[in-house]
Amino acid sequence: MENLWPRIEGLLGQATRPSRYINHEYQSVHCKDAEYRAVFAYPDVYEIGQSNQAVNLLYDIVNRLPGCAAERAFLPWVDMAALMRERGLPLFSLEGMWPLTGFEMLGVTIPHELAATNIIELLDLAGLPHRSCERLDDVAGTVDNASGRWPLVVGGGPAAFNPEPLAPFFDVIAIGESEELICELVAKHRAWLATPGGRLNDLLCSLAEVEGIYVPSFGSQRRVRRRVFGGFAEELLPKTNIVPFCETIHDRLAIEIQRGCSRGCRFCQAGMTYRPVRERPSDMIVQAAMQGIACTGFDEVSLVSLSSTDHSHIEDILRRLQQCFAGTGVSVSLPSQRLDAFGVDMAGLVAGERKSGLTFAPEAGSQRLRDVINKNVSTDDLLLAIQRACEGGWRRCKLYFMIGLPTETDEDVVAIADLANAAYIAAKDAVPQCERGKIRISLSVAVFVPKPGTPFQWSGQLPLAEVSRRIGLLRQAGLAKAISLKWHDPQVSQVEAVLARSGREVAELIEAAWQEGASFAAWTERFDYQQWLVAAERCGIDLDAAAADDYRMDEPLPWQHIETGISQRYLEQEWQCALEGQVTEDCSFARCTECGVCLTADSGGQRPRIVLEGERHE
Amino acid sequence: MNEVFFRLRICFAKQGRLRWLSHLELLRAMERLIRRSGLPYATTHGFNAHMRFAPGPALPVGTSGARELFDVWLTEYLPPAKALACLGLAAADQIPIHEVCYVPTQLRGLQSTHNLESYELRLLSPDRDLAALQAALDELLDRETLTLVRREKSKDYQTAMLIATTPLLKVDATDGSLRLSLTLRSSEQGAARPESLADLILGEQGSVLEVQRLSVSRDGEGS
Ligand code: SF4
Ligand code: SF4
């Protein structure tokens, strides 16, 4: 394979941030001799993709498999992509600077819905036909492992729980957690490559047997069960961490301390699709943090998970890490704050004097609506948390809300302003008179996007016109001067909803939008609604209807064949509870509510929180 | 509390692919390298303490540096050879560490004291031969002031102040490429980019292929 570096380097003088493309970062793995080569590509620029845990995890795992080598690839920014196209240079892997077409397998992360057009851009820049059927054209049944020209294109990631919109572009899609799945996939692929005359169909059939693997070309009749990594608590992965040169969005050592969240917020896809909750033992975490800092030289370690402060030993972990990094200039961070006094105390433990701002997500303004979405926090919780934060030295906080949640009324919208104003008063009361002017509260409001696999999966999105009216309501609701209000572009949320909840028919829309120039749609400055409107018109798709129409309970959903492990009955029941405003308790701290994930014979139906023996709080 | 510090000066190279790093990216890489080397680095006071260091003058993206300097404060004295070994190990093959030495802690920052920068540039000149380029260079050196253009902005420099040693133009014996070596002095006028000077020598079609800073030093120290 040709090493493209000399030709790529020739372009760097004209590219923004050349460090995105230089590779050779500390602890990256290079030019390993291998008979099987995989490249893991992330459909965004280096600083976003290299911050993604999945890429690092898969890279680490496959590089450790005997006879295998893994490399990484990221999408170049638009300026570099244009230069590459001008010179006829294809997308390249970082380590070997090889064209992606030279690998046995191309793994592509599907991080979120808006990455869809970037995935097309990635395939296109790599020089691959976009659609799996064009690559695997085997009508005559003649394609075998000797004549196949393209890498096996595998997708997977958080947005794959409805794989249909992107299904035609992938040969196989991994549903769920990939730590073990990737090893099985590689083993089967290698075995097939080594079989003389192996037919393509044989490969796909054998891959379809792996739990969690969906083969889109076999259609959506076959049910696919989400893969869960059972060994999460036993081992800390990735074992090594790459130290980037280019500043990434999460430029620190990340340690995944827990997987899954059982709080049960009804809008939250991750909360439903990463169950059950699994914790890594505190000793393992502390040791990994110390060792990780020593071998990478990072000055910050982040304890990541969906809700890190819910780890049953979080306080102990934070105190020990505080102690071992004292005086070294190394800090510890938590990605999110739990909305109560304990959350603030934990944030206080790691923040030191760097009290720049706290972020809370009450999501809804009224207690009624918070009950509907099962966000089990009360106004008092929030006010107490704010008070505690201000007493602890914070002066700024950010509150996240959603608009257009199922059953939302005008009163609920106005209640967002009331809650924010109450938070401001609580903050003012908690600080000395002379400090009051420093208090700033910023509200960040986004339109609710219904996600597959959640109790709200049947619900449509609020139509754009109604969104505008409700935004108007909130604007006029009389926010205190110190409170700023920011909107997440509703048109972006609409496109997100279309891509999240439609079937295979929107694959055409994705390709058309890409042709219209839509790439890096998740970047505010790059999103252009017009491109999507034109594309939708071309494909005969009504964006408004695709986003806003409800699904009937009795009609098949486009993602019906994907089993997340949460039972249909549970989702229906949760939807019913939502309509009645009834809350469901968190199974980590109360009884099992029988969502279906842990209902195995040997657990007797009760396995609330998976931790190793001796780690449980008494 | 009276703390005693030791100021270790690290001489290293920013070369190969790493020439594409920005100044900030290079500093971050050096900080991380030092942290993982296990050297007993000192930190600033306060809860959000960070490593105490002083970098040399910034190198732009795309420019390599053969002998760059970076000072870090240590809380313990380590024999230079030992410190060098620790750094070398942590640097892997990324950032070659040439040597280390201790310097007085009370010295001012490297950026303010080290005002001489020696460069070597690799040039491409399809339309002017060596003699023509030399003539253009001689003519420039005779001027009292030089107007250098960078990113469409021009700035005047006193020639005698800016040019510390007579620039040398030659064809490299090994690869036949055209080279320009020169030492520039930075002053209150600010630091000039050697490419801007090379642009004046080169004709319409000429271009600068590569810029390498050979060293940074102080007046009187020699380069
Ligand atoms: S707390 Fe709620 S929103 Fe956050 S991860 Fe858990 S379920 Fe999702
Ligand atoms: S089965 Fe029960 S314990 Fe397991 S995740 Fe579901 S609700 Fe929680």
Side-chain angles (χ1 to χ4, degrees):
Chain A
M1 271 189 283
E2 185 194 351
N3 181 327
L4 297 172
W5 173 247
R7 296 170 70 194
I8 297 293
E9 186 172 25
L11 307 178
L12 294 185
Q14 300 162 67
T16 43
R17 284 216 198 193
S19 57
R20 284 168 174 158
Y21 311 105
I22 63 171
N23 83 77
H24 284 259
E25 307 101 309
Y26 188 70
Q27 304 219 92
S28 53
V29 183
H30 282 267
C31 300
K32 211 177 130 189
D33 263 341
E35 57 180 58
Y36 184 90
R37 295 188 177 276
V39 55
F40 294 103
Y42 191 92
D44 210 312
V45 287
Y46 179 91
E47 55 268 41
I48 311 279
Q50 186 52 42
S51 287
N52 184 273
Q53 279 292 84
V55 174
N56 289 298
L57 204 63
L58 294 168
Y59 177 78
D60 186 61
I61 293 173
V62 173
N63 263 326
R64 284 171 201 287
L65 293 177
C68 300
E71 306 209 350
R72 294 160 298 149
F74 302 97
L75 210 52
W77 184 244
V78 274
D79 58 345
M80 184 68 170
L83 287 168
M84 286 163 61
R85 283 203 169 91
E86 218 178 276
R87 311 287 156 97
L89 283 169
L91 184 57
F92 52 90
S93 69
L94 271 192
E95 283 76 5
M97 287 274 159
W98 287 321
L100 299 199
T101 41
F103 288 81
E104 270 79 38
M105 188 236 288
L106 162 61
V108 183
T109 311
I110 313 177
H112 50 75
E113 290 79 6
L114 289 171
T117 51
N118 273 19
I119 290 173
I120 308 296
E121 171 73 354
L122 196 152
L123 296 171
D124 193 79
L125 205 54
L128 269 80
H130 302 173
R131 293 189 176 238
S132 172
C133 61
E134 299 167 79
R135 297 188 301 263
L136 306 184
D137 184 10
D138 192 25
V139 200
T142 52
V143 176
D144 62 16
N145 50 22
S147 59
R149 290 199 298 138
W150 310 110
L152 181 73
V153 181
V154 184
F161 290 105
N162 172 14
E164 290 312 305
L166 285 166
F169 309 115
F170 289 104
D171 305 337
V172 300
I173 296 181
I175 309 291
E177 301 168 11
S178 296
E179 282 95 339
E180 294 160 323
L181 177 148
I182 193 72
C183 302
E184 292 162 33
L185 183 146
V186 167
K188 290 198 172 223
H189 193 201
R190 287 180 78 182
W192 177 77
L193 286 167
T195 314
R199 299 267 163 235
L200 192 61
N201 196 49
D202 302 341
L203 171 67
L204 297 179
C205 285
S206 110
L207 291 177
E209 286 166 11
V210 176
E211 186 172 55
I213 287 191
Y214 173 48
V215 182
S217 55
F218 290 175
S220 53
Q221 310 316 321
R222 228 186 110 258
R223 300 185 73 79
V224 180
R225 198 173 166 83
R226 169 178 69 104
R227 192 65 184 261
V228 179
F229 176 38
F232 181 83
E234 276 102 62
E235 201 182 7
L236 206 133
L237 297 169
K239 288 195 196 297
T240 49
N241 292 276
I242 289 173
V243 186
F245 288 119
C246 176
E247 187 175 8
T248 61
I249 52 163
H250 302 302
D251 208 5
R252 51 188 90 103
L253 176 71
I255 296 182
E256 192 182 6
I257 65 169
Q258 171 178 306
R259 194 170 286 178
C261 170
S262 53
R263 295 200 153 230
C265 303
R266 292 179 178 130
F267 56 84
C268 178
Q269 193 182 38
M272 293 291 156
T273 52
Y274 285 95
R275 287 178 180 214
V277 174
R278 288 146 286 163
E279 289 186 349
R280 283 188 166 132
S282 45
D283 287 344
M284 181 191 279
I285 294 165
V286 172
Q287 171 69 17
M290 284 164 40
Q291 214 170 355
I293 292 291
C295 9
T296 58
F298 279 117
D299 64 353
E300 185 177 344
V301 51
S302 181
L303 305 178
V304 301
S305 80
L306 289 170
S307 48
S308 295
T309 23
D310 283 348
H311 189 290
S312 58
H313 286 62
I314 189 68
E315 187 165 355
D316 171 53
I317 295 168
L318 293 179
R319 288 195 189 281
R320 287 162 75 187
L321 289 180
Q322 265 335 298
Q323 225 170 17
C324 73
F325 294 136
T328 61
V330 175
S331 58
V332 182
S333 63
L334 294 168
S336 56
Q337 272 94 46
R338 194 162 104 181
L339 223 170
D340 57 16
F342 180 74
V344 174
D345 289 348
M346 291 305 102
L349 257 185
V350 298
E353 287 154 18
R354 186 193 38 185
K355 297 197 163 112
S356 45
L358 276 186
T359 303
F360 296 115
E363 308 292 3
S366 69
Q367 190 61 51
R368 186 199 73 80
L369 195 53
R370 282 198 299 276
D371 289 346
V372 168
I373 63 175
N374 205 41
K375 190 91 210 176
N376 282 327
V377 290
S378 65
T379 302
D380 284 349
D381 288 334
L382 174 70
L383 299 185
L384 211 66
I386 299 261
Q387 184 196 332
R388 192 72 149 246
C390 290
E391 287 165 358
W394 276 281
R395 296 294 175 262
R396 274 181 215 194
C397 87
K398 195 169 186 177
L399 302 177
Y400 279 100
F401 288 99
M402 275 191 274
I403 206 161
L405 285 160
T407 80
E408 184 183 71
T409 63
D410 287 1
E411 287 77 54
D412 296 318
V413 177
V414 174
I416 295 177
D418 297 341
L419 187 61
N421 284 333
Y424 175 58
I425 291 170
K428 264 198 337 192
D429 289 348
V431 304
Q433 184 92 33
C434 57
E435 293 271 305
R436 288 186 178 169
K438 289 190 186 160
I439 292 175
R440 294 279 175 281
I441 293 185
S442 53
L443 302 190
S444 181
V445 186
V447 181
F448 162 65
V449 179
K451 293 282 169 91
T454 67
F456 288 170
Q457 62 180 352
W458 293 280
S459 167
Q461 191 180 44
L462 196 67
L464 286 180
E466 181 57 16
V467 169
S468 307
R469 193 188 67 81
R470 292 193 196 176
I471 291 177
L473 274 182
L474 186 50
R475 281 197 199 290
Q476 290 153 20
L479 286 171
K481 267 215 186 76
I483 306 177
S484 63
L485 176 60
K486 251 181 43 200
W487 286 96
H488 187 67
D489 183 352
Q491 292 174 335
V492 174
S493 304
Q494 188 193 57
V495 170
E496 200 183 328
V498 172
L499 298 174
R501 60 198 303 270
S502 305
R504 220 175 263 208
E505 69 284 356
V506 297
E508 204 189 327
L509 170 73
I510 294 169
E511 235 179 340
W514 172 80
Q515 280 158 359
E516 293 301 323
S519 69
F520 293 98
W523 292 65
T524 319
E525 74 268 31
R526 295 271 316 158
F527 180 83
D528 180 355
Y529 188 55
Q530 199 55 34
Q531 293 167 338
W532 290 90
L533 282 178
V534 174
E537 169 107 36
R538 270 173 54 194
C539 309
I541 288 175
D542 178 354
L543 291 182
D544 292 331
D549 286 356
D550 290 338
Y551 283 111
R552 284 195 326 274
M553 289 290 216
D554 58 355
E555 76 181 301
L557 297 165
W559 52 92
Q560 198 79 23
H561 52 298
I562 303 300
E563 287 179 12
T564 62
I566 309 262
S567 70
Q568 171 85 1
R569 189 187 48 80
Y570 185 78
L571 293 178
E572 283 174 15
Q573 189 183 302
E574 279 295 290
W575 172 240
Q576 207 48 49
C577 288
L579 296 181
E580 291 161 12
Q582 280 185 33
V583 297
T584 300
E585 284 177 309
D586 178 343
C587 65
S588 283
F589 306 105
R591 65 179 184 87
C592 165
T593 55
E594 293 178 19
C595 74
V597 166
C598 317
L599 298 183
T600 54
D602 57 350
S603 68
Q606 298 267 341
R607 226 163 116 204
R609 178 164 269 257
I610 301 179
V611 291
L612 290 186
E613 281 308 308
E615 274 276 319
R616 187 173 297 284
H617 268 324
E618 295 309 327
Chain B
M1 190 174 61
N2 277 331
E3 280 171 299
V4 182
F5 294 120
F6 306 89
R7 179 168 170 177
L8 186 75
R9 178 157 296 171
I10 304 169
C11 176
F12 68 98
K14 177 202 183 197
Q15 64 185 26
R17 297 164 187 258
L18 296 203
R19 75 188 174 100
W20 294 107
L21 297 188
S22 70
H23 184 55
L24 273 180
E25 288 166 339
L26 183 68
L27 294 193
R28 205 168 29 235
M30 285 302 289
E31 243 191 286
R32 288 175 178 170
L33 190 163
I34 291 167
R35 209 173 284 110
R36 65 179 179 255
S37 74
L39 287 188
Y41 62 85
T43 55
T44 57
H45 287 294
F47 189 91
N48 298 306
H50 48 83
M51 185 184 291
R52 276 193 68 181
F53 64 82
L59 267 185
V61 176
T63 301
S64 40
R67 298 182 64 79
E68 295 298 301
L69 302 177
F70 186 99
D71 290 357
V72 61
W73 275 251
L74 303 183
T75 54
E76 262 174 64
Y77 175 84
L78 239 73
K82 177 112 192 278
L84 182 64
C86 292
L87 288 167
L89 214 60
D93 52 0
Q94 278 187 323
I95 302 179
I97 310 282
H98 299 312
E99 61 207 24
V100 299
C101 63
Y102 285 96
V103 295
T105 41
Q106 66 280 13
L107 279 185
R108 283 192 296 141
L110 271 166
Q111 280 170 335
S112 53
T113 54
H114 284 57
N115 60 340
L116 295 181
E117 303 181 27
S118 300
Y119 288 95
E120 185 177 72
L121 287 76
R122 206 153 60 79
L123 310 176
L124 182 73
S125 175
D127 55 345
R128 287 189 185 174
D129 64 7
L130 188 62
L133 293 171
Q134 188 64 53
L137 172 62
D138 292 343
E139 190 270 318
L140 285 176
L141 294 177
D142 281 343
R143 294 189 199 169
E144 199 164 308
T145 57
L146 288 174
T147 307
L148 301 186
V149 183
R150 194 174 147 243
R151 290 212 191 111
E152 281 152 33
K153 273 197 210 134
S154 62
K155 200 167 166 184
D156 289 341
Y157 294 87
Q158 302 294 320
T159 313
M161 264 311 285
L162 178 68
I163 314 261
T165 54
T166 313
L168 191 70
L169 259 173
K170 62 166 189 202
V171 173
D172 191 88
T174 46
D175 63 1
S177 67
L178 195 59
R179 309 268 171 154
L180 171 68
S181 334
L182 75 170
T183 301
L184 300 181
R185 181 186 289 111
S186 59
S187 61
E188 298 78 53
Q189 288 175 291
R193 293 270 176 101
E195 305 89 299
S196 311
L197 190 74
D199 284 342
L200 292 182
I201 305 169
L202 290 163
E204 278 286 293
Q205 293 170 38
S207 58
V208 178
L209 296 176
E210 215 179 304
V211 186
Q212 172 164 221
R213 183 156 75 189
L214 300 174
S215 65
V216 290
S217 57
R218 283 179 287 160
D219 263 330
E221 192 184 62
S223 57

